[in-house]
Structures are given as C-alpha cells and as structure tokens.
Amino acid sequence: MRDAQNTSCVLEVADKVTITEPEEELSATVVSTNVTCKGSNDGTITISAEGGDSYEYKLNDGAWETANTFTGLSPNTYTVYVRDAQHTNCVLEVADKITITEPEKGLSATVNSTNVTCKGGNDGTITISAEGGDSYEYKLNDGAWETTNTFIDLLPGTYTIYVRDAKNTSCELEVADKVT
C-alpha cells in the first residue's frame, strides 16, 4: 500500500491475501419414479448433490427445501435446482428436465355374475375381467387378496369386489355386484 500523494511512502502489508474457490463444482444426479396409477400423485424425485457442504433443493418455482426427496408428485415435467445452503448464490439447474409419467390406461373391471339356482343354495359365482395393469389380484368384501378372478359357491347377497394391479398394489378399484 502507498500514499497517492507521496508515492515513495510505501507500506508493505505483512500477510498476503489468498482467495480460494471450492475444490469441486456443484453437481447433482437425479433419480425419479413414475406415478403407479392413472390419476394418482405418487411419483418421486430424489437428488444427490456434490461439491458443497450442505444443500437445498427445489422443483420448478417451489420453495427451497433441505430434504432431497420430493414425494407425492403428479405427472408433469419438473426442473430440478440444487444450491449450496451456505453460499445460496451457487445454484445449479440440473441440465435435463425430469418427466414423471403415468400409465396410459386406468384400472377398470367388468363383472359377470350368476345367481344361486335354488332357494337356500350357495352356487352363485362372480367373474371379474380387469384391464389397465399387468397382472391382477381380486377380493370380495373384506376377504384376502387372491390371484383368481372367479369366486364360486357364493350365497345370495351384495358383494363389494376389489381389483388391484399386483405389481402396483396401491392401484385399487372397487366395484359392487349383487348375487341373488
């Protein structure tokens, strides 16, 4: 440092100042899961970040959060942002937008039933044909889930029929039918 008026008056500062930068550039990887049932909102996005000490995350124009997993997502395209929580001006927009999709078809079922043939009998049947998934499970009323789509030896009555996608058990459909 020197005096602007007396340029021969110079004072040397003993310590030099070193300006550093982080060793790693802020980076992130993203893993997503799609919605399991048409019309649901159970998609997820999980972000793993590097190049800082602690991180904050957000999707689209949402608020910054410390949790790196976003759940309850609907089908949509999301822009993922990561920032260093201690240096909030260091923001990374993950290059690829993340698209959460849903199945094209919703779960549906057709029910055919046969009534009991004689008063006091128990030979009624219910057969279910399901669509909108890969493989299915079925149950009547509060019974156990089964892989067979035909229920036999039924008494007269009203039955609530449930169908679910065996691979995505949260995809469940309720249908009512009466066997007389």
Side-chain angles (χ1 to χ4, degrees):
M1 169 174 21
R2 73 178 184 186
D3 186 334
Q5 301 297 320
N6 286 322
T7 57
S8 62
C9 186
V10 175
L11 172 64
E12 188 172 319
V13 178
D15 294 333
K16 294 183 180 185
V17 175
T18 303
I19 297 176
T20 63
E21 65 181 351
E23 290 181 25
E24 293 182 58
E25 186 176 347
L26 188 59
S27 65
T29 56
V30 178
V31 175
S32 64
T33 60
N34 291 320
V35 169
T36 56
C37 305
K38 185 156 185 74
S40 293
N41 60 346
D42 61 349
T44 65
I45 292 177
T46 302
I47 308 140
S48 298
E50 294 181 352
D53 294 321
S54 59
Y55 308 98
E56 294 177 323
Y57 312 88
K58 76 173 184 172
L59 300 180
N60 299 337
D61 295 325
W64 289 101
E65 300 181 21
T66 57
N68 69 323
T69 298
F70 293 86
T71 60
L73 300 177
S74 299
N76 201 351
T77 299
Y78 296 90
T79 303
V80 177
Y81 297 93
V82 179
R83 75 178 178 186
D84 186 327
Q86 295 180 10
H87 306 284
T88 57
N89 61 335
C90 293
V91 177
L92 170 68
E93 178 181 334
V94 176
D96 295 327
K97 295 190 182 312
I98 304 301
T99 301
I100 302 289
T101 63
E102 68 182 346
E104 285 185 34
K105 295 174 74 177
L107 191 60
S108 64
T110 304
V111 177
N112 291 309
S113 60
T114 59
N115 292 323
V116 173
T117 56
C118 298
K119 182 158 183 71
N122 67 338
D123 61 346
T125 65
I126 293 177
T127 302
I128 307 120
S129 298
E131 294 181 348
D134 294 321
S135 58
Y136 307 97
E137 294 177 327
Y138 311 88
K139 75 175 181 175
L140 294 182
N141 299 332
D142 293 325
W145 288 102
E146 301 180 21
T147 57
T148 183
N149 67 328
T150 300
F151 295 89
I152 60 172
D153 301 328
L154 299 175
L155 295 168
T158 301
Y159 294 87
T160 302
I161 302 153
Y162 297 92
V163 180
R164 72 179 179 186
D165 186 331
K167 292 184 180 176
N168 298 306
T169 57
S170 64
C171 295
E172 190 175 302
L173 176 68
E174 179 181 325
V175 182
D177 199 25
K178 186 174 185 175
V179 175
T180 55

